[in-house]
Amino acid sequence: MKNAVITAVGHYFPDKVVPNSHFESYLDTTDEWIRTRTGIRERRYLEHGATSDMAVEAARMALDVRGLQPTDIDLLVVATVTPDMMFPHTACLTMDKLGAVNAWGYDVVSACSGFLFALTTVVNMVRAGGSRRALLIGADKMTSIVDMEDRNTCILFGDAAGAFLIEGEDDTDLGIRDYINYCDGSGAEFLNMPGGGSLHPATLETVKKGYHYIRQDGQAVFKVAVKGMADVSLEIMERNSLRSEDVAYLVPHQANLRIISATADRMGLPMDRVMVNIDRYGNTTAATIPTCISEYYQDGRLKKGDNLILAAFGAGFTWGASYIKWALD
Ligand code: UT7
């Protein structure tokens, strides 16, 4: 079996910056409430185009980092809950726009855990020899499913895409070393988008009821997210005999700075060893983890051999963690 190694990373954020003051102008909210309850100062909105357009940009950046062409890719997977359309899948549309004519692929729909769940599928494809060079992209245009009149949710989300290039390598202990994933569908009622699927196909009635928007019981999700992210992070550390001093960075899903710092606390990690970009981009769902890693890599804050623990919690409920030994300088 080969090892699955991350050989390049890329990210894309749209240009339009939306500060918290934007919401103060039309909703009963304040910059102070948003900053202290969530850690968010601003987010980015994609004004034109769809999720695949952001996915293409993040993929191009990863290919440039490695000096490869789109034709070198044999598998392209997109994690997203905001596909361009119900079908064809966004991976297919992304391949076409990118010119990845030698690839096949699929979408993974697992909300905030989507990137880690998709990573698991790609890692096993690469380990088994089913792919030599895969692109894994987490991309979400959250503004397409957020009710901009709902102060409980609209302040939380932004648009972005991040990408990993993953290649099979022999004789190395670098790469994706381990993963643990969990699902509990009894949590579905607390975070979902009910409309547009086979349960509530789109009708005038479902649109009037706002079924095409995200619904979240924030407090209920908060409690289980804190426990879920911390438990699974500790579990993967223990299974790999990692002490907190062995971990270079925790890379948590960026839903709320308070969930992030509670997880870091339980792991015994100071905040300077936790990747954070929620302050500038909000919750970008499947894009939070790869965009964090790509930004830190571009800033020169990662070194070969660093142990990274990636952890996520989201709708489903779904949650998981992956352990990576970083391969790039
Ligand atoms: O990414 C996928 C997984 N999602 C998560 O992990 C999100 C988890 N949940 C959270 O991050 C937090 O629950 C939120 C940030 C969504 C909300 O923070 P909270 O501290 O749990 O607030 P809350 O929902 O308990 O609301 C407290 C108060 C309420 O008012 P009352 O009932 O106490 O009078 C809300 O109506 O804050 C009110 N509120 C707001 N006030 C000002 C809710 N949204 C706002 C707002 N501005 N934007």
Side-chain angles (χ1 to χ4, degrees):
M1 290 260 274
K2 291 191 176 293
N3 277 331
V5 179
I6 298 160
T7 54
V9 282
H11 64 267
Y12 174 77
F13 295 105
D15 292 335
K16 185 173 172 151
V17 179
V18 179
N20 292 343
S21 55
H22 164 75
F23 300 100
E24 286 180 329
S25 70
Y26 75 98
L27 285 173
D28 181 15
T29 190
T30 60
D31 170 54
E32 207 247 332
W33 191 97
I34 300 171
R35 269 189 296 103
T36 52
R37 298 287 183 124
T38 71
I40 301 167
R41 285 190 285 113
E42 59 191 35
R43 70 287 290 140
R44 302 292 181 96
Y45 284 0
L46 184 71
E47 292 185 281
H48 308 287
T51 296
S52 65
D53 297 303
M54 297 191 293
V56 166
E57 295 301 325
R60 281 203 184 114
M61 182 171 172
L63 289 171
D64 284 349
V65 163
R66 180 83 168 92
L68 290 178
Q69 299 302 314
T71 47
D72 295 321
I73 301 306
D74 57 28
L75 175 70
L76 190 151
V77 176
V78 176
T80 187
V81 285
T82 51
D84 291 20
M85 52 188 92
M86 283 290 277
F87 63 86
H89 58 61
T90 305
C92 210
L93 303 171
T94 303
M95 281 175 229
D96 185 50
K97 289 179 181 173
L98 190 62
V101 294
N102 298 318
W104 75 286
Y106 48 90
D107 286 5
V108 171
V109 185
S110 204
C112 297
S113 307
F115 192 79
L116 291 193
F117 282 21
L119 178 67
T120 299
T121 72
V122 172
V123 164
N124 282 297
M125 282 291 292
V126 170
R127 281 182 183 166
S131 165
R132 219 162 54 88
R133 279 196 183 122
L135 264 176
L136 167 60
I137 306 165
D140 270 304
K141 183 182 173 184
M142 295 307 290
T143 49
S144 64
I145 57 168
V146 162
D147 178 357
M148 291 298 175
E149 301 297 325
D150 176 12
R151 70 174 186 171
N152 292 294
T153 52
C154 71
I155 50 118
L156 299 171
F157 295 97
D159 304 332
F164 280 6
L165 181 68
I166 300 175
E167 299 183 66
E169 285 181 16
D170 297 310
D171 305 323
T172 177
D173 69 340
L174 301 171
I176 298 105
R177 308 282 311 154
D178 196 11
Y179 55 83
I180 301 173
N181 296 316
Y182 291 109
C183 289
D184 175 5
S186 68
E189 66 183 284
F190 302 109
L191 177 52
N192 58 44
M193 192 188 91
S198 55
L199 181 62
H200 298 295
T203 61
L204 279 179
E205 200 55 29
T206 64
V207 171
K208 264 190 218 147
K209 287 178 174 165
Y211 281 14
H212 54 296
Y213 292 133
I214 294 178
R215 299 166 161 218
Q216 172 169 253
D217 178 342
Q219 251 186 33
V221 179
F222 188 93
K223 282 182 202 140
V224 277
V226 167
K227 180 165 165 34
M229 285 241 296
D231 284 355
V232 76
S233 302
L234 288 172
E235 187 182 351
I236 206 162
M237 280 171 69
E238 270 166 36
R239 193 154 96 173
N240 291 278
S241 306
L242 293 169
R243 298 157 306 168
S244 47
E245 53 269 39
D246 301 322
V247 176
Y249 284 105
L250 164 69
V251 192
H253 169 56
Q254 312 278 307
N256 189 314
L257 193 57
R258 290 184 291 144
I259 298 175
I260 293 171
S261 50
T263 304
D265 247 21
R266 286 265 317 272
M267 292 168 71
L269 286 181
M271 281 307 281
D272 62 357
R273 283 198 274 139
V274 181
M275 290 195 191
V276 173
N277 70 9
I278 189 172
D279 51 328
R280 285 166 296 138
Y281 307 116
N283 182 349
T284 57
T285 305
T288 63
I289 287 176
T291 56
C292 268
I293 293 181
S294 181
E295 282 198 317
Y296 275 64
Y297 170 67
Q298 290 293 333
D299 290 350
R301 294 165 77 175
L302 284 168
K303 58 179 193 312
K304 195 171 179 170
D306 274 352
N307 290 318
L308 309 182
I309 300 292
L310 285 48
F313 189 97
F317 295 126
T318 55
W319 67 107
S322 298
Y323 162 37
I324 291 172
K325 212 173 224 330
W326 187 248
L328 298 169
D329 264 326

